[in-house]
Amino acid sequence: MEFSLIDRIRELTAQTREDVRLGIGDDAALLRVPDGQELVVAIDTLVEGVHFPLGTAAADIGWKALAVNLSDMAAMGAAPAWALLALTLPNGEAAFVDDLAAGFAQLARQYRLALVGGDTTRGPLALSVAVHGLLPSGHALLRAGAQVGDAICVTGTLGDAAAGLELLRAGGGADAHAAYLVERLHRPTPRIDAGLALRGQAHACIDVSDGLLADLGHICAASGVGARIDASLLPFSPALLNVFGAHAAREFALSGGDDYELCFTVPVDRATALQSNRVQLGCAATVIGHVVEGSGVHAYDGDGRELALERRGWDHFRA
Amino acid sequence: MEFSLIDRIRELTAQTREDVRLGIGDDAALLRVPDGQELVVAIDTLVEGVHFPLGTAAADIGWKALAVNLSDMAAMGAAPAWALLALTLPNGEAAFVDDLAAGFAQLARQYRLALVGGDTTRGPLALSVAVHGLLPSGHALLRAGAQVGDAICVTGTLGDAAAGLELLRAGGGADAHAAYLVERLHRPTPRIDAGLALRGQAHACIDVSDGLLADLGHICAASGVGARIDASLLPFSPALLNVFGAHAAREFALSGGDDYELCFTVPVDRATALQSNRVQLGCAATVIGHVVEGSGVHAYDGDGRELALERRGWDHFRA
């Protein structure tokens, strides 16, 4: 079982990278980090029933396991290079394995990411992916570094994934808007291009995996600053507004997780330029507030009234 | 839960390494690979009930999860540097987590290994560890490279872990010999020093995780050669001989897994020097046969009669 899956993904991924001296097939892979580059590494696990619902399509599972890790690369401003996949499967059903490999490889190809190692074991369905990226030494985007006066921006739209999960829980919703929201849950887009474009631009950056309030809170804590958000500026998708309306959309955007957009701070003058540079970012960027003195995240409505916020993080499929 | 465990291990590990630019606490770690060095990476997962029995002590689980990955570094001749730990836990019981962290850190300290990232999720007990090592470019020990006429050697003793598992299955055995065998199952010793000493010496190397026949078979396949083993030369521990006798010892040594000794091939003249160089290797090394033309592994008894071998690999806790 072990080799068939890993070989299948390698076959589908089919990347030739000069920096891979030895890939899958020995006790470990041999890799070369170019001079002047730093290595960026992260690991994340998806467990069935915790990070994705029972019955999720295998291809979506493969995609998402890689996407959530690539999102960490994006948040650092790194270019993805290599991945290791540790897969635990209850059985070796061929179609499931093929589909999972196809979903993983489909995303890997977009970034010329090479799978250089893996391990397949029998047990309850779970995937751990360790992703490796590269960036010029000293150019990483960190959580610390936000400065008072910075504009706070987010890429793309917020709240879609949490809304998609809500739809799944409620038994679906069959129109195109509903399908879009569920797709955003199952197939998040790691904002790699945006991360690369923000090198040397953003003062601080994080990916939104646990919800905007929680993740922007990490930037505030690491930077020793506070954040003031204007909730009327939050970017929503047409699908989210159409299915759930503006009030629920705001809740999903502030407290829902699994969006995998980037939240970053930049000097105000740069923010304007970035907002108009959609091609380089690969997506829209929206100013949603400003960095202020103090601590913590405070959100206000369009009339300047502070919102009472539930500050709990996203706990996935908590019963 | 997530941060308490990872922080606890970091606290217990407490390595300061100049090559760790940024450790745990941001979206990813930032690491520096020195010029002229290659990066060596591997990932392995342990699942409860598959790779260790239900009821295994938490500290042993933490140790073994790291040890099996360090063994891959040893097999490549790499010096361990950094690890990522993805832990899935059914609950966050503090004592269990503390003990697991202590076992992991106890082994990490021996090799100045820094934990640079981690992820904790709720689910059935499982650990994936990705280990990173370093070695001078072009000096890795590979499976390919064994040459006809080479001596085949193994470090330490074989069969102890499989015997320990057999004892656990049979409900124990309370004397010191039995305890030694169970300890060898729960706390394997990665042969890092031996791997380092074998750089520039061994033609081919692998770690024995699936059993000598299976793993030496990988060397043969990768190198396009055969192997002739003299079973009367296999190194056994006094404990193994005492508890199970010579005949069973041979079976455990040939087909049992989880030993995490190194099996390597070297020119015959070097083998003698290596055998007397126990200090540098950190353990004994024993010549058990020779590389021959052809393919596959053939074993003979002391009188030169070929043994009929079951060539199946180690399937852990297969029911």
Side-chain angles (χ1 to χ4, degrees):
Chain A
M1 181 167 87
E2 177 159 345
F3 288 101
S4 62
L5 172 75
I6 299 297
D7 285 351
R8 182 79 182 129
I9 296 179
R10 184 172 46 163
E11 197 181 299
L12 287 170
T13 308
Q15 291 304 327
T16 338
R17 290 183 62 104
E18 211 174 281
D19 52 17
V20 178
R21 296 290 176 86
L22 184 71
I24 293 166
D26 212 296
D27 292 297
L30 296 174
L31 306 165
R32 204 181 72 80
V33 173
D35 295 352
Q37 299 270 306
E38 273 173 3
L39 177 68
V40 187
V41 301
I43 192 166
D44 261 311
T45 301
L46 300 191
V47 178
E48 183 177 53
V50 180
H51 302 94
F52 55 87
L54 288 166
T56 301
D60 290 340
I61 296 169
W63 172 289
K64 188 163 182 174
L66 180 55
V68 304
N69 281 280
L70 288 180
S71 183
D72 285 325
M73 295 296 108
M76 302 298 283
W82 319 299
L84 307 170
L85 168 62
L87 175 65
T88 306
L89 270 178
N91 56 56
E93 200 202 321
F96 186 89
V97 164
D98 269 6
D99 287 352
L100 192 147
F104 186 96
Q106 187 183 351
L107 183 57
R109 274 196 304 269
Q110 291 185 20
Y111 298 104
R112 295 197 55 241
L113 181 98
L115 185 73
V116 297
D119 176 43
T120 311
T121 53
R122 205 157 304 179
L125 184 58
L127 302 84
S128 290
V129 177
V131 169
H132 299 73
L134 300 169
L135 52 72
S137 296
H139 284 69
L141 303 173
L142 306 181
R143 295 178 181 182
Q147 294 176 20
V148 173
D150 278 356
I152 298 169
C153 305
V154 293
T155 60
T157 58
L158 295 177
D160 297 328
L165 178 58
E166 186 70 20
L167 286 172
L168 286 183
R169 281 178 168 152
D175 68 357
H177 288 311
Y180 175 86
L181 297 174
V182 170
E183 175 91 358
R184 288 271 289 162
L185 174 70
H186 287 324
R187 296 240 173 180
T189 304
R191 298 301 187 189
I192 295 292
D193 291 342
L196 296 177
L198 291 173
R199 280 186 197 161
Q201 300 286 321
H203 283 159
C205 188
I206 194 169
D207 69 322
V208 180
S209 53
D210 294 334
L212 179 65
L213 294 176
D215 290 313
L216 179 54
H218 292 315
I219 285 185
C220 290
S223 302
V225 297
R228 184 187 168 106
I229 288 176
D230 182 344
S232 69
L233 300 178
L234 292 170
F236 302 131
S237 68
L240 179 58
L241 289 173
N242 182 281
V243 178
F244 286 97
H247 185 77
R250 191 172 78 187
E251 291 305 305
F252 285 130
L254 291 172
S255 300
D258 270 5
D259 281 326
Y260 301 103
E261 298 293 348
L262 297 184
C263 175
F264 57 96
T265 83
V266 284
V268 171
D269 55 342
R270 283 186 207 157
T272 313
L274 280 169
Q275 283 190 288
S276 64
N277 196 356
R278 192 171 166 140
V279 171
Q280 203 194 346
L281 292 177
C283 59
T286 306
V287 175
I288 60 167
H290 291 86
V291 176
V292 296
E293 291 185 359
S295 66
V297 181
H298 302 267
Y300 299 83
D301 68 14
D303 299 322
R305 283 183 298 246
E306 184 163 5
L307 303 173
L309 301 174
E310 277 194 78
R311 283 163 195 287
R312 59 181 167 77
W314 177 241
D315 199 5
H316 296 288
F317 299 84
R318 181 168 56 178
Chain B
M1 181 168 89
E2 176 159 346
F3 288 101
S4 62
L5 172 74
I6 299 298
D7 285 350
R8 181 78 183 130
I9 297 179
R10 183 173 46 162
E11 195 182 300
L12 287 168
T13 309
Q15 290 304 328
T16 337
R17 290 182 63 103
E18 211 174 282
D19 53 17
V20 178
R21 296 291 175 86
L22 184 69
I24 293 166
D26 212 296
D27 292 296
L30 297 175
L31 307 165
R32 205 181 73 80
V33 173
D35 295 351
Q37 300 270 307
E38 275 173 0
L39 178 67
V40 187
V41 301
I43 193 165
D44 262 311
T45 301
L46 301 190
V47 178
E48 183 177 54
V50 180
H51 302 94
F52 55 88
L54 288 166
T56 301
D60 289 341
I61 296 169
W63 173 289
K64 189 164 183 175
L66 181 55
V68 304
N69 281 280
L70 288 179
S71 183
D72 284 325
M73 295 296 108
M76 302 297 284
W82 320 300
L84 306 170
L85 168 61
L87 175 65
T88 306
L89 270 178
N91 56 56
E93 199 203 321
F96 187 89
V97 164
D98 269 7
D99 287 352
L100 191 147
F104 186 97
Q106 187 184 350
L107 183 57
R109 275 196 304 270
Q110 291 185 20
Y111 298 104
R112 296 198 51 242
L113 180 99
L115 184 73
V116 297
D119 176 42
T120 312
T121 53
R122 204 156 306 177
L125 184 59
L127 301 85
S128 290
V129 178
V131 169
H132 299 73
L134 299 170
L135 52 72
S137 296
H139 284 70
L141 303 173
L142 305 181
R143 295 178 181 182
Q147 295 176 20
V148 172
D150 278 356
I152 298 169
C153 306
V154 292
T155 60
T157 59
L158 296 177
D160 297 327
L165 178 58
E166 186 69 21
L167 286 172
L168 286 183
R169 281 177 167 152
D175 68 358
H177 288 312
Y180 175 86
L181 296 174
V182 171
E183 176 91 358
R184 288 271 289 164
L185 173 69
H186 287 324
R187 297 238 172 182
T189 303
R191 298 301 187 188
I192 296 291
D193 291 342
L196 297 177
L198 291 173
R199 280 186 197 162
Q201 300 285 323
H203 283 158
C205 186
I206 196 170
D207 69 322
V208 181
S209 54
D210 294 333
L212 179 66
L213 294 176
D215 290 313
L216 179 54
H218 292 315
I219 285 185
C220 290
S223 302
V225 298
R228 183 187 169 107
I229 289 175
D230 182 345
S232 70
L233 299 179
L234 292 171
F236 302 130
S237 68
L240 178 57
L241 289 172
N242 182 283
V243 177
F244 286 97
H247 185 77
R250 192 173 77 187
E251 291 304 305
F252 285 130
L254 291 172
S255 300
D258 270 4
D259 280 326
Y260 301 103
E261 298 293 348
L262 297 184
C263 175
F264 57 96
T265 83
V266 284
V268 171
D269 55 343
R270 283 186 208 156
T272 313
L274 280 169
Q275 283 190 290
S276 64
N277 196 356
R278 192 172 167 140
V279 171
Q280 204 195 346
L281 292 178
C283 58
T286 306
V287 175
I288 59 167
H290 291 85
V291 176
V292 295
E293 290 184 359
S295 67
V297 181
H298 301 268
Y300 299 82
D301 69 13
D303 298 322
R305 283 181 297 245
E306 184 163 4
L307 303 174
L309 300 175
E310 278 193 78
R311 283 163 196 288
R312 60 181 166 76
W314 178 239
D315 198 6
H316 296 287
F317 298 84
R318 182 168 56 178

